[in-house]
Amino acid sequence: MEIMRLVVTGPVGAGKSTFIRSVSEIEVVDTDRRATDEALLIKKRTTVAFDFGRLQFGPDMALHLYGTPGQSRFDFMWDILIQKAHAYILLVAAHRPHEFREARRIMMFMQQRSPVPMIIGLTHTDCPNAWDAANIALALGYPNPNRRPPLVTVNANETASVAQAVIALVQHTWSGSLATT
Amino acid sequence: MAISTEKLTHILQSFVTSTTDIQGAAVVTPDGLPLAASLPGSMDEERVSAMSAAMLSLGDRIGSELARGGIDRIYVEGDKGYGILTSCGEDAVFLVLADKAAKQGLLLLEIKRTLSELKAVLM
Ligand SMILES: Nc1nc2c(ncn2[C@@H]2O[C@H](COP(=O)(O)OP(=O)(O)OP(=O)(O)O)[C@@H](O)[C@H]2O)c(=O)[nH]1
Ligand SMILES: [Mg+2]
């Protein structure tokens, strides 16, 4: 059985833990604790080490999904998790533009440490005031649509939608990450 | 904030200065923010707090998934010394950094004593 390790990263509340819970076939290992920081503005609990889930992908591949914490004080976990990753998805909440900078910072942190393929997943696109994909790509530093990582829309609460995003990530990884990142 | 940072800091400082072979101590929230600390100058309070929280949360999971029960304490033993994490009620984690020379039994006793002082303030 081949194992592909996928990392799910992005700012606080982007939907990393929810994403993994939506598709994992095992009970997810979660390390969410009661939030006492700014995360509280969005939700009650926040990830302090990592989420872990598993998903069978075809007859001979298992996907191991690792979700990172969102706050930069946990960047040692970002580092640990990205070191072994085969690919990663950066989740960005489309309706919280003030977090795009942080998303970009996380992406640069990952890119500095690992050359593996990545895609961008836009969550919360169903929420009021969500930005459109082209403008978010621009904010993340990709002005040219032909020279950027694949960008998908995903609702972390919906299993089918998350499965689509996972497939896009695996396919992008298989395609050898040609030209994009 | 409701918690008296001053009192916590005072308890930590006297713990660190009065116990031999202790190099630092901190009390942090379970989501990794510092409540109070008395650490060696080279260590970043925020980073230490985040690491403590991550470690204790994983210890908790190991305790439950590998059927070790509730976790009282986590030890990290390096060739230069120890890092000991003790859960301090619902809302806090107590980290102690000790020298390699520290006597384990004594250390545990001191941690226990300080823990009850901290809990009294945190209540
Ligand atoms: N409406 C809507 N809600 C979403 C979507 N994606 C995620 N959510 C919600 O956003 C919240 C995300 O919470 P988490 O999954 O804990 O976020 P996280 O990224 O793991 O956050 P940290 O661990 O704190 O960094 C949850 O309440 C989800 O239900 C989406 O596409 N649309
Ligand atoms: Mg999370």
Side-chain angles (χ1 to χ4, degrees), chain A residues 31-42:
Chain A
T31 58
D32 282 15
R33 288 290 175 271
R34 212 171 74 207
T36 63
D37 61 1
E38 333 77 66
L40 250 188
L41 298 171
I42 306 174

Side-chain angles (χ1 to χ4, degrees), chain B residues 82-114:
Chain B
Y82 307 93
I84 300 161
L85 283 162
T86 312
S87 92
C88 182
E90 285 271 287
D91 298 315
V93 179
F94 182 34
L95 169 75
V96 175
L97 299 173
D99 224 61
K100 194 71 197 181
K103 297 270 177 298
Q104 295 238 12
L106 217 58
L107 198 57
L108 272 188
L109 220 61
E110 280 303 310
I111 289 176
K112 223 174 181 173
R113 195 185 53 72
T114 310

Side-chain angles (χ1 to χ4, degrees), chain B:
Chain B
M1 202 195 285
I3 296 164
S4 165
T5 311
E6 232 168 89
K7 276 186 193 157
L8 289 178
T9 309
H10 182 76
I11 295 171
L12 291 183
Q13 276 170 352
S14 73
F15 170 67
V16 172
T17 49
S18 71
T19 318
T20 43
D21 307 320
I22 300 276
Q23 292 163 329
V27 179
V28 316
T29 63
D31 67 335
L33 292 174
L35 288 172
S38 172
L39 291 166
S42 61
M43 285 186 199
D44 179 65
E45 213 173 283
E46 210 186 45
R47 210 172 164 74
V48 168
S49 305
M51 287 190 163
S52 303
M55 187 77 185
L56 194 69
S57 74
L58 285 178
D60 264 347
R61 293 304 303 215
I62 291 169
S64 59
E65 299 212 4
L66 307 186
R68 303 301 90 189
I71 294 295
D72 290 330
R73 206 166 280 107
I74 293 171
Y75 273 99
V76 177
E77 183 172 352
D79 53 14
K80 296 203 179 108
Y82 307 93
I84 300 161
L85 283 162
T86 312
S87 92
C88 182
E90 285 271 287
D91 298 315
V93 179
F94 182 34
L95 169 75
V96 175
L97 299 173
D99 224 61
K100 194 71 197 181
K103 297 270 177 298
Q104 295 238 12
L106 217 58
L107 198 57
L108 272 188
L109 220 61
E110 280 303 310
I111 289 176
K112 223 174 181 173
R113 195 185 53 72
T114 310
L115 205 60
S116 55
E117 280 179 46
L118 293 171
K119 275 183 175 162
V121 177
L122 285 165
M123 275 307 124

Side-chain angles (χ1 to χ4, degrees), chain A:
Chain A
M1 179 78 55
E2 201 187 327
I3 289 173
M4 189 186 269
R5 280 183 298 272
L6 303 177
V7 162
V8 183
T9 192
V12 169
K16 305 174 292 295
S17 300
T18 310
F19 183 101
I20 292 177
R21 276 183 218 124
S22 287
V23 287
S24 179
E25 291 158 354
I26 58 167
E27 197 195 324
V28 170
V29 174
D30 92 64
T31 58
D32 282 15
R33 288 290 175 271
R34 212 171 74 207
T36 63
D37 61 1
E38 333 77 66
L40 250 188
L41 298 171
I42 306 174
K43 59 210 181 72
K44 290 211 161 63
R45 298 173 73 78
T46 188
T47 306
V48 302
F50 59 79
D51 310 291
F52 174 73
R54 183 185 186 281
L55 178 62
Q56 188 67 32
F57 197 87
D60 30 49
M61 187 155 81
L63 303 179
H64 284 188
L65 301 168
Y66 290 90
T68 71
Q71 299 89 340
S72 60
R73 66 177 180 276
F74 294 109
D75 65 5
F76 60 93
M77 287 306 313
W78 300 352
D79 189 42
I80 290 171
L81 295 170
I82 203 63
Q83 297 298 341
K84 297 253 172 113
H86 294 108
Y88 61 102
I89 180 168
L90 176 78
L91 295 185
V92 182
H95 70 320
R96 281 197 291 266
H98 55 281
E99 279 170 11
F100 295 164
R101 269 180 83 137
E102 183 56 18
R104 188 172 177 177
R105 221 166 72 83
I106 295 172
M107 183 170 69
M108 281 161 60
F109 182 99
M110 298 302 184
Q111 285 172 349
Q112 274 167 15
R113 284 162 182 79
S114 167
V116 298
M118 63 93 71
I119 70 173
I120 296 167
L122 303 183
T123 61
H124 295 86
T125 52
D126 56 320
C127 296
N129 303 319
W131 282 36
D132 68 43
N135 282 320
I136 297 175
L138 199 63
L140 294 177
Y142 295 106
N144 183 348
N146 301 316
R147 287 186 50 82
R148 70 173 190 217
L151 211 146
V152 299
T153 295
V154 54
N155 187 328
N157 286 308
E158 291 172 8
T159 303
S161 173
V162 175
Q164 283 294 325
V166 170
I167 291 167
L169 181 56
V170 173
Q171 274 173 351
H172 179 56
T173 308
W174 278 338
S175 77
S177 67
L178 299 162
T180 39
T181 42

